Amino acid sequence: MKNIRNYGVLLPVSALPSGEGIGTLGKEAYNFIDFLHGAGGRVWQVLPLNPTNYGDSPYQSCSADALNYYFIDLEFLVEDGLLERGEVDLAKLCDCARRVNYGKQFSEKISLLAKAFARFDGGKDFCDFLERGEYNDFAVFMALKTHFNHVAWTEWAPEYRKYGSRAVEKFCKENQRKILFWQFTQYIFLKQWQKLKEYANQRGVSLMGDIPLYIAYDSAEVWKYGDKLFKMDGERKMSVVAGCPPDDFTADGQLWGNPVYDWNKMSADGYSWWKSRIRRCFEFFDILRIDHFRGFDRYWEVPAKDKTARGGRWADGPKEKLFESILDYNIVAEDLGVIDDGVRSLMENVGYPGMKIMEFAFDGNPENEHKPSNHTQNFVCYTGTHDNMPLRQCIEDLRGKDKEVYIKDLLKECAVFGVEAKVSSAEDICRTVIELAFKSKANTVIIPLWDLLAFGGEARINLPSTVSENNWSWRFVREDFTEELKDFLIKVGAETERI
């Protein structure tokens, strides 16, 4: 990432075109790599690949390590002889080209994967995979979760709530086939992903992954480790939870509810769990974005009994000590939000590139760090992230004085960089902002596909702190990948020496 001018596109796997009701690791993923390669792009950024849980968020998963079986391509399983085409067609997984129906994925896709598993004859490669044991805890957790009708582990029969108990051991002996099924989903995902990654790298495209700082309470890791990794008692009851302090936008702050790490305990073995997690990510990705990076400096913890985040406090994280042996890893630090001297010191000490967001840039403040004229090289410049409103909608929502300031500021930046300012429509402004992003000194520019296409609020990926069928469900169709878009990317990429 350092000292190389390039650009990429943010496109969640779930949002790829597909006849299977959700994006997969199949033909359309390869088509997108071809599109990006043809347009001179060098980075494909995805969102976390973990299985989704309640609310369908990849940032609230039942496992920090496991892989989302919804992304397994069924057409490839047909080619492998594990499914019949008629079985896939009969499931009718795609009822809307623009939205993921997670209910159908849950009810139909898992059933199809079970049929494929019933026809799977294993083999040495699968035996070797099982021998490594990387996904055994996840598989046991999911088999138990299915056994208890998918409720949280805290609602299982008491004898099963403790990892490694006699009841759990007995369950494993009596349900080996059910556990093997969940191992199978991980094995197939890995096979399909490894082929896709090899193809991308051969085409000069690096895959950029994403992991959340926190993990969900209802997860295999909390069930297994409890107070060994997290601030909770021996019964795995949380004393404090994660959140975000009050600010100008949220008077009560944000109460996320995730368990917080017991950094003092984790320091005893040199933060081995976290380092192992990061190293494993680089088996899948060439670049890794770590969400909420500021939490490694200080984080906001809230008493578990509280109903809002107002009563929380700042607590110290591990700071740069966690990263001492992995400073050369290709990591991008999401350094947005409440940034203070501690975070700035952490960023300087680890040396990872941070992020600049063009959506925050044009407020009339000449010292605004997101303004492209204030960028330096060791950053990744975005128009927006998965949590932001699409750029076009932000522009269309501007009114009165706010719009005047925005346009005036935009025009000033265009003059600095010699960009032809087109401001007659929201779509024109989107293109102008993207051209400014490409002109930035930041080594890497990544544009979300919804902003490249100047889509509006309907294409928003996520509205933070809400649970909605509109979150994490937007999808693209084949017709979105136009020659006009490719030509634009080639033109702006060549003009800014990013291709």
Side-chain angles (χ1 to χ4, degrees), residues 74 86-94 104 108-109 112:
L74 299 179
E87 292 172 328
V88 177
D89 293 341
L90 189 63
K92 295 181 180 177
L93 291 167
C94 187
K104 279 209 166 188
E108 300 291 340
K109 189 150 194 174
L112 286 169

Side-chain angles (χ1 to χ4, degrees), residues 252-295:
D252 290 330
Q254 297 180 36
L255 189 63
W256 298 334
N258 303 75
V260 297
Y261 300 105
D262 192 326
W263 292 117
N264 288 331
K265 286 184 179 179
M266 294 180 100
S267 69
D269 66 357
Y271 309 102
S272 62
W273 182 86
W274 252 103
K275 289 180 180 178
S276 175
R277 183 186 183 195
I278 290 172
R279 289 189 179 107
R280 285 199 64 197
C281 285
F282 282 92
E283 297 174 14
F284 303 95
F285 307 117
D286 305 293
I287 309 163
L288 180 67
R289 173 191 179 272
I290 301 181
D291 193 54
H292 199 61
F293 196 81
R294 75 135 300 121

Side-chain angles (χ1 to χ4, degrees), residues 376-403:
T376 53
Q377 286 183 307
N378 194 31
F379 285 94
V380 181
C381 177
Y382 293 79
T383 48
T385 74
H386 61 272
D387 280 338
N388 298 133
M389 179 70 78
L391 179 60
R392 177 173 181 165
Q393 190 64 54
C394 285
I395 294 164
E396 290 178 339
D397 288 346
L398 290 170
R399 296 288 185 274
K401 183 69 174 178
D402 290 338
K403 187 170 184 177

Side-chain angles (χ1 to χ4, degrees), residues 171-381:
F171 177 88
C172 291
K173 290 177 181 177
E174 295 175 352
N175 295 274
Q176 291 183 16
R177 190 73 182 167
K178 293 177 181 177
I179 294 169
L180 276 177
F181 165 69
W182 292 106
Q183 294 268 28
F184 166 80
T185 66
Q186 302 303 286
Y187 173 76
I188 294 297
F189 184 107
L190 280 171
K191 283 187 66 177
Q192 293 190 359
W193 179 264
Q194 287 163 355
K195 287 182 179 178
L196 184 69
K197 183 178 185 299
E198 182 179 352
Y199 185 82
N201 291 166
Q202 287 173 348
R203 304 286 273 170
V205 173
S206 296
L207 297 185
M208 180 174 171
D210 191 322
I211 58 170
L213 172 64
Y214 295 118
I215 63 177
Y217 185 45
D218 183 23
S219 66
E221 287 76 19
V222 173
W223 176 63
K224 178 178 180 178
Y225 294 108
D227 62 349
K228 294 181 179 68
L229 293 184
F230 306 96
K231 286 188 176 180
M232 51 182 62
D233 62 24
E235 298 300 316
R236 297 173 181 79
K237 292 181 180 178
M238 297 182 289
S239 56
V240 289
V241 298
C244 188
D247 56 25
D248 292 340
F249 303 100
T250 53
D252 290 330
Q254 297 180 36
L255 189 63
W256 298 334
N258 303 75
V260 297
Y261 300 105
D262 192 326
W263 292 117
N264 288 331
K265 286 184 179 179
M266 294 180 100
S267 69
D269 66 357
Y271 309 102
S272 62
W273 182 86
W274 252 103
K275 289 180 180 178
S276 175
R277 183 186 183 195
I278 290 172
R279 289 189 179 107
R280 285 199 64 197
C281 285
F282 282 92
E283 297 174 14
F284 303 95
F285 307 117
D286 305 293
I287 309 163
L288 180 67
R289 173 191 179 272
I290 301 181
D291 193 54
H292 199 61
F293 196 81
R294 75 135 300 121
F296 292 109
D297 175 56
R298 290 192 307 156
Y299 61 94
W300 190 253
E301 63 177 23
V302 184
K305 61 179 176 54
D306 286 11
K307 301 300 182 183
T308 75
R310 292 182 69 89
R313 70 178 187 96
W314 287 109
D316 283 336
K319 306 184 188 299
E320 60 267 23
K321 290 180 182 178
L322 190 151
F323 302 95
E324 285 175 348
S325 62
I326 52 177
L327 291 177
D328 59 338
Y329 278 41
N330 223 350
I331 288 172
V332 174
E334 187 269 286
D335 58 342
L336 307 175
V338 181
I339 303 303
D340 53 26
D341 289 342
V343 181
R344 295 185 184 95
S345 176
L346 173 62
M347 293 295 294
E348 182 177 350
N349 290 334
V350 297
Y352 302 142
M355 294 170 55
K356 300 301 179 188
I357 309 300
M358 297 289 285
E359 203 165 289
F360 304 156
F362 308 110
D363 61 354
N365 177 8
E367 297 181 358
N368 184 326
E369 64 182 27
H370 297 284
K371 202 179 297 296
S373 57
N374 292 329
H375 293 180
T376 53
Q377 286 183 307
N378 194 31
F379 285 94
V380 181
C381 177

